[in-house]
Amino acid sequence: CYKNGINGLVVHRTHRCTVRQNTIYDNGVIPRLDRPEDVIEDWHVGASGKSRQPYSGLTLNNAEDVKLWSNVVAARYDDDYAFVQEVDSGEAAAVIAGGNNKACRGVVDINPTNFVQTVENLSICIPEAPSSPPSPAPKYVEVVVS
């Protein structure tokens, strides 16, 4: 999950789910008003004066009975959420199982916190670009029957 406009991956009002082996990075490309962009692109003009929320990683939004296993996340900014739980009211339901989750950049606000490890090595969360693009697969293969 990468280069999405606002969030990375969101579990939205879903119960009894497993979020496993996701690589989430370079999301939150919509500008934040408190973070001036280094390069202004033409499409930013249409978003002038608008902002996004500080979530660019993995968000559990009103989700219950969630298991988190082996997800790696790099939020866009240090103060964006890499892992976060949101609820309309009250307290978020605890994640029921998980482990081997890594946050390479960003804030972690998951209950319980021991399911996510903060790591300094950004290369753990951001895969290397391939040296050459993969060759396109054929759209169809002609089969001749005799």
Side-chain angles (χ1 to χ4, degrees):
C1 178
Y2 61 96
K3 296 206 183 287
N4 289 296
I6 299 176
N7 299 305
L9 186 148
V10 179
V11 177
H12 184 68
R13 299 183 189 279
T14 303
H15 303 323
R16 298 166 307 283
C17 68
T18 301
V19 183
R20 182 184 329 204
Q21 294 182 331
N22 293 283
T23 302
I24 303 167
Y25 64 98
D26 283 349
N27 295 295
V29 297
I30 300 290
R32 279 179 40 188
L33 291 178
D34 62 332
R35 295 284 196 150
E37 294 293 316
D38 293 333
V39 176
I40 305 297
E41 298 185 33
D42 59 350
W43 64 268
H44 288 153
V45 175
S48 180
K50 297 180 179 145
S51 188
R52 67 169 177 83
Q53 60 207 133
Y55 309 150
S56 60
L58 194 155
T59 302
L60 304 178
N61 182 15
N62 291 283
E64 297 177 12
D65 297 330
V66 176
K67 299 174 186 175
L68 291 176
W69 296 102
S70 302
N71 298 285
V72 292
V73 179
R76 182 169 182 197
Y77 301 120
D78 290 336
D79 62 346
D80 268 350
Y81 285 99
F83 287 83
V84 66
Q85 289 174 276
E86 285 295 322
V87 291
D88 292 337
S89 63
E91 292 199 25
V95 173
I96 62 171
N100 198 35
N101 297 290
K102 294 179 177 45
C104 296
R105 179 174 45 225
V107 178
V108 175
D109 187 10
I110 288 286
N111 173 26
T113 58
N114 64 329
F115 287 153
V116 179
Q117 176 188 11
T118 301
V119 295
E120 298 293 322
N121 185 351
L122 202 54
S123 68
I124 290 172
C125 293
I126 300 177
E128 289 185 33
S131 57
S132 61
S135 55
K139 292 185 179 182
Y140 64 91
V141 176
E142 186 174 337
V143 177
V144 178
V145 180
S146 48

